Amino acid sequence: MPRSTSQNFCCQFPCPHSEPQPLSASAGDPPALAAHRMSLAAYCIICCRRMGTSTPPPKSNTYWRDVRNIIKFTGSLILGGSLFITYEVLALKKSLTLDTQVVEKEKMKSYIYVHTVSLDKRENHGITYQARKELHKAVRKVLATSARILRGPFADTFSTIDIEDHECAVWLLLRKSKSDDRAARLQAVQEMAETRHWHDYQYRIIAQACDLRTLIGLARSKDSDLRFFLCPPPLPSLKEDSSVEEELRQLLASLPQTDLDECIQYFTSLALSESSQSLAAQKGGLWCFGGNGLPYAESFGEVPSATVEMFCLEALVKHSEIPTHCDKIEANGGLQLLQRLYQLHKDCPKVQRNIMRILGNMALNEHLHSTIVRSGWVSILVEAIKSHHIMEASHAARTLANLDRETVQDKYQDGVYVLHPQYRTSQPIKADVLFIHGLMGAAFKTWRQQDNDQNLTGKVSEDETKYTTCWPKSWLARDCPALRIISVEYDTSLSDWRARCPMERKSIAFRSNELLRKLRAAGVGDRPMIWVSHSMGGLLVKKMLLEASKKPEMSTIINNTRGIIFYSVPHHGSHLAEYSVNIRYLLFPSLEVKELSKDSPALKTLQDDFLEFAKDRNFQVLSFVETLPTYIGSMIKLHVVPLESADSKG
């Protein structure tokens, strides 16, 4: 049964009978009787349309007796085969006459669109509602009958079924997409995605009748028509005297609050303890330094409710990394609530990205895939992955890849993004290229072209041939399409005052183990690979390789590493770290900054161990160094990584 319907068409029944009373609802009929008559009329039109048969007027008033005969045999089509269909038409001849021109016209369409039933219980009454409900049942029965026919022994020839030639391709592809042969399924999805000549209703047939596997395959096909994807079902109404902010807080409060790490506890308590009113008061001047007051300063000027929602979403991102918490989010209506929030904040990319992160984490759990699809998220993801905004497209691509168990065996955890290929492709992947950003960097913005005033204000439309916000995706993918390009993201901060989680003290050793586990889950190490790193990211790469060399299950990462590129990596420390430490009483440098100091024992040990490890390894190392100073804010100008520190062999 369709989950969403076209608003351009609706069921319109002609009045073919010389005595219209049996087929139309009279004012005195009970609602159930009127609904039954209307649903029967719809069913008769569909049946006669499929048979291409017109019927003479009835010879006697045996209408209801014949209706009972029809209903009695409706469920036995698969047993009776074509003999039953013949009997059904004979029975219909005794009960009504249809205008053959109307039937032939409808027959060429071979579809019916019905309006969806409102979820508002206040609208669920009266003849209109009852008729619509019965009509849904009748159309569902016809669709089920068609599916059984296509699974029958004569499905490939259609010799005994009255289906127009232009319909055969649709139903054959649908049947092929459910084949036990994986290659046949993939070919069917590819043929569907490449089709350009179908009518609107044919795309809708696929949308309503395909299975989850086919739908995800179409979503991950680059040129798929958007008509393959039904609009999300209507969202449930908010509870009385409630708001999105309040329901989001209730969802967060329903999740387990014990046995959590310090950062999850921090984000959860922050979101649950604050409200729009308290934030509004603080924005009026009641700021405090220390505790939870300081993070609000970064969002000064935002709408208070949006700020509270952001705190809740950040907490939900952390919770969604725990599989059992994902089950709770789904069971408590989180998928629908997040969808409502996504639609409300179309002008706030940061909110939408956090929602996509949650959804991508939930998609790591295969038992939730059917629920995610039924909730209508696929059509939203398809629109997002086709976006020209690289971050939006990459977040959607990660979620769809986690949903696609037909062609993707790897799982992309939070912070691991595939920049290329983001769609299904027949191009064999020969190697992986991994991009690891540095201090205060990000998976996308670190690899952008130099900013200018127009690009910073968003006044210039993106033209990837001249300007790019992420050159690995725009240029490297175009020059080397046989590569899988992965970019990694993790949180860093210069000062503990600006840390997203004050309790988070992650050393290079901790982060490297975390990233190594995520990359291995994404299949990194299964093919030749090259590391591209910037700043502190180079230190993480060195630490990851050292850790992988100690673990037998990670040996493929060592064996398949072919090269490392270091962009301004402080192998021997950074002037920025020295500057931060010297004014520590103002900046309170973070652990990451302290580890980049020239006198850091951890940094010296890491360099010595890596040189010993790389001595007998057969991979190439290429280092880039800074020759010009960098402006840090409006007052600081320095070489962040001096020439002597960027030398990886020193």
Side-chain angles (χ1 to χ4, degrees):
M1 187 59 202
R3 292 168 292 162
S4 177
T5 58
S6 169
Q7 298 301 316
N8 297 325
F9 302 92
C10 63
C11 294
Q12 295 181 348
F13 304 115
C15 185
H17 203 288
S18 57
E19 297 179 6
Q21 292 81 359
L23 291 176
S24 60
S26 64
D29 283 341
L33 177 59
H36 184 76
R37 290 178 175 177
M38 292 188 69
S39 64
L40 179 63
Y43 183 72
C44 292
I45 288 176
I46 296 170
C47 290
C48 289
R49 181 172 69 237
R50 294 187 64 85
M51 293 304 300
T53 306
S54 60
T55 55
K59 299 179 180 179
S60 62
N61 292 326
T62 59
Y63 175 79
W64 291 112
R65 183 187 67 192
D66 293 324
V67 168
R68 286 193 295 269
N69 290 336
I70 295 171
I71 296 173
K72 180 178 180 181
F73 284 89
T74 296
S76 61
L77 175 59
I78 193 62
L79 298 177
S82 60
L83 291 178
F84 163 68
I85 296 177
T86 302
Y87 167 80
E88 185 178 48
V89 174
L90 290 175
L92 289 172
K93 286 181 179 179
K94 298 179 180 181
S95 58
L96 63 124
T97 299
L98 294 177
D99 185 338
T100 55
Q101 292 182 349
V102 174
V103 172
E104 288 301 320
K105 184 177 179 180
E106 286 297 313
K107 177 182 173 183
M108 291 304 296
K109 296 179 181 177
S110 298
Y111 70 102
I112 254 186
Y113 283 163
V114 292
H115 291 288
T116 54
V117 178
S118 172
L119 298 178
D120 190 345
K121 294 183 178 180
R122 293 173 294 182
E123 298 181 16
N124 296 348
H125 58 81
I127 294 179
T128 301
Y129 167 74
Q130 294 295 334
R132 185 184 298 147
K133 183 176 179 181
E134 293 300 320
L135 186 57
H136 272 245
K137 292 180 181 178
V139 177
R140 186 185 297 114
K141 186 176 296 183
V142 172
L143 290 176
T145 300
S146 299
R148 287 198 297 271
I149 290 174
L150 290 175
R151 290 196 296 266
F154 46 84
D156 292 330
T157 63
F158 292 95
S159 59
T160 59
I161 305 300
D162 182 24
I163 297 180
E164 299 296 330
D165 292 339
H166 67 282
E167 304 292 353
C168 293
V170 176
W171 291 104
L172 281 176
L173 282 177
L174 270 171
R175 183 172 182 269
K176 191 176 179 181
S177 70
K178 300 178 182 179
S179 169
D180 293 333
D181 184 355
R182 177 176 176 273
R185 295 196 302 268
L186 294 178
Q187 184 182 5
V189 172
Q190 183 178 351
E191 291 179 15
M192 289 179 189
E194 293 174 351
T195 300
R196 296 292 177 271
H197 62 275
W198 282 349
H199 297 291
D200 178 75
Y201 75 90
Q202 291 172 303
Y203 289 101
R204 297 302 180 179
I205 287 174
I206 299 290
Q208 296 177 18
C210 71
D211 58 12
L212 180 151
R213 187 166 49 193
T214 302
L215 184 66
I216 298 301
L218 289 170
R220 295 198 69 239
S221 298
K222 187 173 184 179
D223 298 320
S224 287
D225 195 292
L226 290 177
R227 288 173 290 181
F228 279 124
F229 311 99
L230 300 176
C231 297
L235 294 172
S237 302
L238 291 173
K239 298 176 183 177
E240 191 174 352
D241 298 328
S242 184
S243 63
V244 174
E245 174 194 329
E246 185 59 32
E247 292 205 3
L248 197 58
R249 287 158 57 91
Q250 290 176 7
L251 173 63
L252 187 58
S254 70
L255 302 178
Q257 306 296 322
T258 57
D259 299 326
L260 304 176
D261 68 37
E262 290 181 334
C263 275
I264 300 180
Q265 292 178 358
Y266 167 77
F267 283 118
T268 302
S269 62
L270 180 63
L272 295 180
S273 62
E274 300 299 337
S275 65
S276 298
Q277 291 77 13
S278 63
L279 283 179
Q282 293 182 40
K283 287 181 183 295
L286 300 178
W287 293 99
C288 60
F289 291 91
N292 294 339
L294 190 62
Y296 304 144
E298 298 179 7
S299 57
F300 188 82
E302 294 182 13
V303 179
S305 62
T307 307
V308 174
E309 289 166 358
M310 182 61 72
F311 290 154
C312 290
L313 288 174
E314 288 180 342
L316 285 172
V317 167
K318 296 292 184 180
H319 280 279
S320 65
E321 295 177 358
I322 306 173
T324 55
H325 290 209
C326 289
D327 295 339
K328 292 282 188 181
I329 293 173
E330 184 275 323
N332 293 327
L335 289 171
Q336 290 76 19
L337 183 58
L338 291 173
Q339 193 176 122
R340 185 187 300 278
L341 199 60
Y342 188 90
Q343 301 294 350
L344 286 174
H345 292 286
K346 288 184 176 181
D347 58 343
C348 185
K350 191 173 181 181
V351 169
Q352 293 195 325
R353 286 198 297 270
N354 275 330
I355 292 173
M356 283 292 187
R357 288 177 66 187
I358 297 168
L359 195 66
N361 291 343
M362 295 181 69
L364 292 168
N365 306 281
E366 293 186 34
H367 65 280
L368 294 179
H369 286 187
S370 59
T371 309
I372 293 173
V373 171
R374 286 198 305 271
S375 64
W377 270 105
V378 175
S379 61
I380 298 174
L381 292 169
V382 170
E383 290 186 5
I385 197 175
K386 294 180 183 294
S387 170
H388 294 293
H389 299 285
I390 288 177
M391 281 190 283
E392 182 180 358
S394 297
H395 279 277
R398 172 189 169 236
T399 302
L400 286 171
N402 285 336
L403 289 171
D404 185 7
R405 297 298 91 189
E406 179 85 321
T407 62
V408 181
Q409 301 304 316
D410 309 319
K411 293 190 175 183
Y412 299 101
Q413 299 187 22
D414 191 30
V416 180
Y417 301 98
V418 177
L419 302 182
H420 174 80
Q422 294 188 336
Y423 295 97
R424 284 186 179 182
T425 177
S426 57
Q427 170 77 56
I429 302 300
K430 298 181 179 179
D432 289 339
V433 180
L434 311 172
F435 286 81
I436 316 295
H437 68 78
L439 189 65
M440 299 302 294
F444 309 101
K445 75 175 186 178
T446 291
W447 316 106
R448 69 192 185 279
Q449 194 172 346
Q450 182 178 6
D451 289 327
N452 56 52
D453 293 339
Q454 288 181 315
N455 289 113
L456 287 173
T457 58
K459 294 181 180 178
V460 176
S461 60
E462 182 180 341
D463 181 357
E464 292 185 351
T465 61
K466 299 179 181 179
Y467 178 85
T468 177
T469 56
C470 186
W471 61 262
K473 182 179 187 299
S474 303
W475 297 339
L476 181 59
R478 184 168 60 241
D479 294 340
C480 305
L483 298 177
R484 180 176 66 156
I485 303 173
I486 293 178
S487 188
V488 171
E489 185 162 279
Y490 57 94
D491 295 325
T492 63
S493 62
L494 288 174
S495 168
D496 281 345
W497 267 13
R498 292 181 59 85
R500 292 177 67 252
C501 175
M503 281 77 72
E504 192 170 47
R505 301 288 189 272
K506 290 187 177 180
S507 63
I508 291 176
F510 181 92
R511 292 185 190 279
S512 65
N513 276 292
E514 183 179 51
L515 292 180
L516 191 62
R517 173 180 55 81
K518 290 183 176 182
L519 290 174
R520 191 68 194 101
V524 171
D526 293 341
R527 56 177 68 92
M529 50 192 290
I530 298 173
W531 303 84
V532 182
S533 59
H534 173 249
S535 181
M536 193 180 80
L539 305 180
L540 287 171
V541 170
K542 294 195 296 184
K543 189 64 176 176
M544 279 190 279
L545 291 173
L546 288 172
E547 291 299 322
S549 67
K550 302 174 185 177
K551 301 175 181 179
E553 67 274 15
M554 298 289 182
S555 60
T556 56
I557 291 181
I558 303 299
N559 298 334
N560 277 319
T561 293
R562 296 291 185 267
I564 307 173
I565 298 177
F566 293 124
Y567 280 102
S568 191
V569 173
H571 301 284
H572 304 283
S574 168
H575 286 328
L576 177 63
E578 289 181 329
Y579 188 89
S580 300
V581 170
N582 289 336
I583 53 174
R584 65 171 65 83
Y585 296 106
L586 175 62
L587 292 180
F588 289 97
S590 62
L591 179 59
E592 301 100 295
V593 170
K594 292 177 182 177
E595 284 192 321
L596 297 182
S597 302
K598 282 191 174 182
D599 57 353
S600 169
L603 201 61
K604 185 177 187 307
T605 301
L606 175 61
Q607 176 66 1
D608 293 341
D609 291 346
F610 180 75
L611 289 177
E612 183 66 25
F613 159 78
K615 186 183 302 181
D616 301 323
R617 299 294 170 181
N618 188 27
F619 51 73
Q620 302 296 312
V621 176
L622 178 63
S623 297
F624 290 87
V625 301
E626 299 175 26
T627 59
L628 297 174
T630 300
Y631 281 94
I632 309 297
S634 59
M635 300 178 62
I636 306 173
K637 180 181 179 182
L638 76 162
H639 282 83
V640 178
V641 180
L643 177 61
E644 63 274 11
S645 181
D647 183 3
S648 61
K649 298 179 181 179

